[in-house]
Amino acid sequence: MTTFGPLFVPRELLDVVSGRAWLEAMLEFESALARAEAQVGIVPSEAVAAISERCDPGLYDFDDLLERGRAVGSPPEPLVRALREKVGGDAAGYVHWGATSQDVMDTASMLVARGALDLVLVELEGVTASLARLAEAHRSTPMAARTMLQQALPTTFGLKAAGWLVAVLESRGILGAVRERLAVQFGGAAGTLAAVGEHGPAILRLLAEDLGLAEPVLPWHTNRVRIAELGAALATTSGVLAKIALDVVLLAQTEVDEAREEIGGGSSTLPHKHNPIESTLARACARLVDGYASVLATGLEQEHERAAGAWHAEWEALSGALAYTGGAAHAVGQAVGSLQVDGERMQRNLGATDGLVLAERVSFALATRYGRAESHDIVREAASRVAASGRSLADELREDERVGLSDSELDALLDPATYLGSAEAFVDRALDLYHSEGT
Amino acid sequence: MTTFGPLFVPRELLDVVSGRAWLEAMLEFESALARAEAQVGIVPSEAVAAISERCDPGLYDFDDLLERGRAVGSPPEPLVRALREKVGGDAAGYVHWGATSQDVMDTASMLVARGALDLVLVELEGVTASLARLAEAHRSTPMAARTMLQQALPTTFGLKAAGWLVAVLESRGILGAVRERLAVQFGGAAGTLAAVGEHGPAILRLLAEDLGLAEPVLPWHTNRVRIAELGAALATTSGVLAKIALDVVLLAQTEVDEAREEIGGGSSTLPHKHNPIESTLARACARLVDGYASVLATGLEQEHERAAGAWHAEWEALSGALAYTGGAAHAVGQAVGSLQVDGERMQRNLGATDGLVLAERVSFALATRYGRAESHDIVREAASRVAASGRSLADELREDERVGLSDSELDALLDPATYLGSAEAFVDRALDLYHSEGT
Amino acid sequence: MTTFGPLFVPRELLDVVSGRAWLEAMLEFESALARAEAQVGIVPSEAVAAISERCDPGLYDFDDLLERGRAVGSPPEPLVRALREKVGGDAAGYVHWGATSQDVMDTASMLVARGALDLVLVELEGVTASLARLAEAHRSTPMAARTMLQQALPTTFGLKAAGWLVAVLESRGILGAVRERLAVQFGGAAGTLAAVGEHGPAILRLLAEDLGLAEPVLPWHTNRVRIAELGAALATTSGVLAKIALDVVLLAQTEVDEAREEIGGGSSTLPHKHNPIESTLARACARLVDGYASVLATGLEQEHERAAGAWHAEWEALSGALAYTGGAAHAVGQAVGSLQVDGERMQRNLGATDGLVLAERVSFALATRYGRAESHDIVREAASRVAASGRSLADELREDERVGLSDSELDALLDPATYLGSAEAFVDRALDLYHSEGT
Amino acid sequence: MTTFGPLFVPRELLDVVSGRAWLEAMLEFESALARAEAQVGIVPSEAVAAISERCDPGLYDFDDLLERGRAVGSPPEPLVRALREKVGGDAAGYVHWGATSQDVMDTASMLVARGALDLVLVELEGVTASLARLAEAHRSTPMAARTMLQQALPTTFGLKAAGWLVAVLESRGILGAVRERLAVQFGGAAGTLAAVGEHGPAILRLLAEDLGLAEPVLPWHTNRVRIAELGAALATTSGVLAKIALDVVLLAQTEVDEAREEIGGGSSTLPHKHNPIESTLARACARLVDGYASVLATGLEQEHERAAGAWHAEWEALSGALAYTGGAAHAVGQAVGSLQVDGERMQRNLGATDGLVLAERVSFALATRYGRAESHDIVREAASRVAASGRSLADELREDERVGLSDSELDALLDPATYLGSAEAFVDRALDLYHSEGT
């Protein structure tokens, strides 16, 4: 658990990356190892039960293991010692047979990651369901598209939501692929598994099957591709979520007011404020994930067969990246799940430029008559007059004899709802993707 | 080109991310757009030829476009203006029809990335070929495995090379998958393609086919998953290469001297030095890639339909990440391609601990007689005596009556070449993977 | 020069970090070294002139030196070789006497940094002058303060500009302090200066004086504090500039429209747009600086007496961080130097909440009568009625008998211009700081 | 507390950045605020006692505040509510008067940072004391200087320790300067302090005095220079510590064995190993600090008067950066405090190149006779013969008639202990700096 974790991250997610969860995962490795080694005949079957029984996280204290682990630089050594003591007798000698501390920690990290990813994926399902609903409901709700935060042209809120949806689906796909590559670690002190004779590959395979993890080609003590990949996938996912959150924050601005989160956000001193709290928390989470992921990304350069530091930094960074990605997913789920969309205000804001937001369309319409360059000049001149006169683009265009459009033609051209191009078709493509991937 | 680029990156790779290459890619987009729009009937076929003919990078100056592009914040606008002028006549009006600057830049970035990735992949092929050769040749060459830079147990140099190989193959796989997802960009000013009426999706598909890029579900103006993913894949690849380079640097140390690069590295003032220059350059490249990739990773949070800054930062960062990943691959290729491996010195270094590097094995051997705990104590006591007496582990073990092993039994136990566990089997698994992936 | 540099960075700044500038700085070291060593009697005075004369950057080609430098991993070695050839005769033997490549590169990096910092500081002076002008001119111009992008309470635009000003002054102070610590490097191949006998410290001092750099306590070949500090100062400066740019982008939004850059920003396809281009470029620059600074920050961990990679990565990162910080400063200078502030629109936007933006003030006013809790409730109830009824806060407060304020009392309470607290006093404090620091 | 914190960070340091510490600091702000506002006559003196009495961290639960704080996005709001309830009566209305949540959090962050920095500085004092001792004791202990991990020339272990010392002193100086700039935050909801009328600046000054923090020119709600600066100083400090740790790891390698940590490090399975655990932990800590500091460095870009996310990410990142810098300092303190330096082995390693490590010296010696170029050639030829023949440099030089040096001249030239240049003088300069700065 981190100092401010409970503010940002659902309790359930904090739990699956907690010390207790790491402890449980380490013990899961030890008992699976005993079972696998029993199958190849190294560990007597009676020892397996004795060992498995003591692989109960309730019997150990994680913080105590950390403090005792300082002298050796990692928690498995004191854990194995404690486990042996509790097992006792002949069976004690078979605990952790042929394994090294990194085998325990790395496999535990994979189990912890899997547990956390599963919760993250559930949160993302909530996000995509809400986004699909918004995309569908607002497929044809016109709003201003904004480039560099300036109104550019009309789009629909459905297409904005569809854009969010596709990005989340893409990052979810990346996360899912990484999840499949989470692999067991088992290499022994030097990566050769010398202590188990010829049985190394067989035990590796059995362990992978037992724990439901992938079987790596080789022990990966200093090949950290899967760790870096996991960190990158988490950073990408939380970055996608931050983009959605940023858009919500921008839409919720007092002067824009096109959408608001309908939960939380009240200010005690300023009763009128409606702060986009969930989006704010999501953006904060994403920044923390970036920090943690950078530790994982720059940690690939590890010395020889076990690194002196880069490996040790992974544990905290991985726990943090997982938890805060979950925090971002949860917060965005809350934000978009409760989002109140004000289509009327969107329509009103589209009028903020007195028709200029449709200038491109008029320009294209006149281009058939005058060619692109001249039609562009005609519209640009009218547009500059709008700024000066305070009148609408329609008024200014009417003044220019070259335009020669009737009022109803002009009205039609300046109606945002009919200049949406492929917005709706794109929404459908996004929803098709969503449905084809199974919720 | 970057200030110090030519020191680190092969000229060919600098070229494919140069201004000239970006310019060529931008023009490729414009001519493909004209072709695609002609197919759907928007652009007259006579205009296509006029436009394509002027899409010749030799006609434009990139630095000049950059300077003129400052006023609008990106180079395509002045390029399009210049292209229109050169095309002239009616055809000029059809240049860039319905597209926006970001369509040009983003598609160009994908084309530039593809060109660079192809060169990176060629460099990686060289690396994997050399590593496979090393793994095979030294499948059974004993050397010390080092954990936290301390000799731990014997391994083989072949397994070390196999470990490098698998990591490169994994990162190459990630790069290759990202390459397949490089997608055309075409959304128009607001992502709705309103200016091309109903033809948006059709043009999008035709463009993708023409340029050999993937067709995205939606325009991705502010969905930067593919950019972040590309940055992460490059950082992972260069990180893997840095790990190899680090190991070479460590092996080449004066006091270790087990391997050396056989190119460059002479020092003018210190004639005896044999600096691992290529590995050094590779590590430097990887650090720069990390910096560039962090720009891409933290750039996912982009505002609404076009970002005000995060997008613009991508171009330099992407160019840099591609070039320096190539630089890292090239340098590691040089290092491992020329690597002189000194198996004799490896053997001698394995003796540096007077047999202690085999202590684990003796301990396991005695465990059958005394149980793990007591055998461990016996060996640990002998080991401490080694440190004090300066004699070998064999000598100290002979002194201890409990050990009771004949000289030949002891010799056999203390021979590193017979305590390699699955090292050779693992080498075979890595080579199988290498051969199964082609090249 | 970087690929996209000319779009973001003034030519003059690109020049001072270019290969030519590095070359010039390296040669400046070599000639200063000859002079210093002549003073202590190592180099004959006739050699000094011969050497200095050939320390002319026009005689060498940087890119060529880079390519030839690859074999040794840095450009000074081929440069020294070329210099010696050109000097010829006996004097040739005295070139570079007792120095190592890193002495040349590190001292050059300090000279390059100083040259670039001086330009950055000039750009920052332009920024602070504009900000001081804005702070003074708009000392009492009311506008909405926005927290989490929601209107909170009134402030003045002068205070906003004063906040920007203080941040720039603070970061300028940090940059200035770092500039004073730029130090000469001279340690010879091992940092002991053995090749110059007892003269090491004397030459070090003379070199520092000659080049106008600080004299370090020790050679700092692998003590990179000043490099990391410089990177951090640049990142902080560009981050401060990005904050200003972000605020400008937000103020320039179509729906807010309180300020706009009066240069550039036109869109060819969308004639009505007024993109905040300079602010956008500034934000992009800051992101690139963050990337480069991260390379410098994580590069402190360097091996023994010369690093194998971390050092080499600094050159490109340092050049980039300097150039793009200058780019950010220049762009913000353009943005705030041309900023059109619309006080009337600010006033109108302050009315967007129908008086709610003053709710805190009414609550405090009633607190003397009802206590804080009850007065808060009274105002909160009125505020919720505003949302529902669409009437103003004044109207809703008038309905509530408990309020009991006359119309003129209410008008006074709801006038933003009289609820500015210490805004103006704070502006004065900021201006005092500005003036006390000299322009 | 973080998941793995107790492994890396002393308990005392974890405590000062814990939730409890944050809670205490927040309450310290609230009671100081009541006192300050009483002095200017806003808060009745009887309320001060009532408020202060309830500002007892034992009365509140931090995790509970976090969970209740989610709805508003930060913990102060529920804390203030709880405090008001406990205070009760009229005094309750004066709690938190005129302040905003960010005032509480930011001031608390400064108090927490000060508390942690004080512990970090104590750890650093331990480090510098040990380093000064090592520098002094080994002022003249010859060892090989290593560039790119190759033996280059002799240096002394004292100079290596002095280099570490100067870097730590420099980073300590930066930390100390940042500590002086830790400032109180008080700006109210909009940074204008409107709720306290004219008293804003007076209360600001009183608060600063009461809490022993600096008085800022302006409220700094979105001017995060001091936060970024603090992050950078922590990253620089931990980077310097990582450099020391890396050198220790390299010196402790089995094949080098010149220094070792005399605490911890035993391996249970490999009895002969002597892992540099403290150095390993320090390096891991520094990587985590880099991650946290990157969050702070990229967080300068904050919106308007309160950020929607970038601010919220600071709390966890700041806590982490402080704690792990302390962890790095503690670990390096343990490593260098217990460092066993093996001068004999250093001497032996200096012989590893059969005299080549002194080749530069011979070359310089012959230069007076033959000029630099020819003397360099003579030595280079002898050096190549060494590699081929396996004989010593002395032997090879004797073979070459041009050399013409007597055996005793050669012996003198090839004695590392007399080719140390200014190593000892530099050690003295470093120790002078150390003593001049007080302990």
Side-chain angles (χ1 to χ4, degrees), chain B residues 328-357:
Chain B
H330 180 73
V332 168
Q334 297 290 103
V336 298
S338 73
L339 203 71
Q340 297 302 305
V341 179
D342 187 341
E344 204 181 311
R345 179 67 188 250
M346 288 171 173
Q347 185 74 35
R348 202 154 74 244
N349 285 345
L350 264 172
T353 60
D354 297 313
L356 290 175
V357 79

Side-chain angles (χ1 to χ4, degrees), chain B residues 146-147 149-152 252-255 267-275 353 356 359-360 376 380, chain D residues 146-147 149-152 252-255 267-275 353 356 359-360 372 376 380:
Chain B
R146 295 170 176 100
T147 57
L149 283 82
Q150 302 278 310
Q151 288 194 11
Q253 291 175 98
T254 306
E255 299 83 3
S267 162
S268 60
T269 27
L270 307 173
H272 62 289
K273 286 198 71 183
H274 202 89
N275 292 320
T353 60
L356 290 175
E360 181 197 73
H376 194 266
R380 180 180 281 278
Chain D
R146 295 170 176 100
T147 56
L149 285 82
Q150 302 279 310
Q151 288 194 12
Q253 290 175 97
T254 307
E255 299 83 2
S267 162
S268 60
T269 27
L270 306 173
H272 63 288
K273 285 198 72 183
H274 201 90
N275 293 320
T353 61
L356 290 175
E360 181 197 75
R372 189 181 165 109
H376 194 265
R380 181 179 280 278

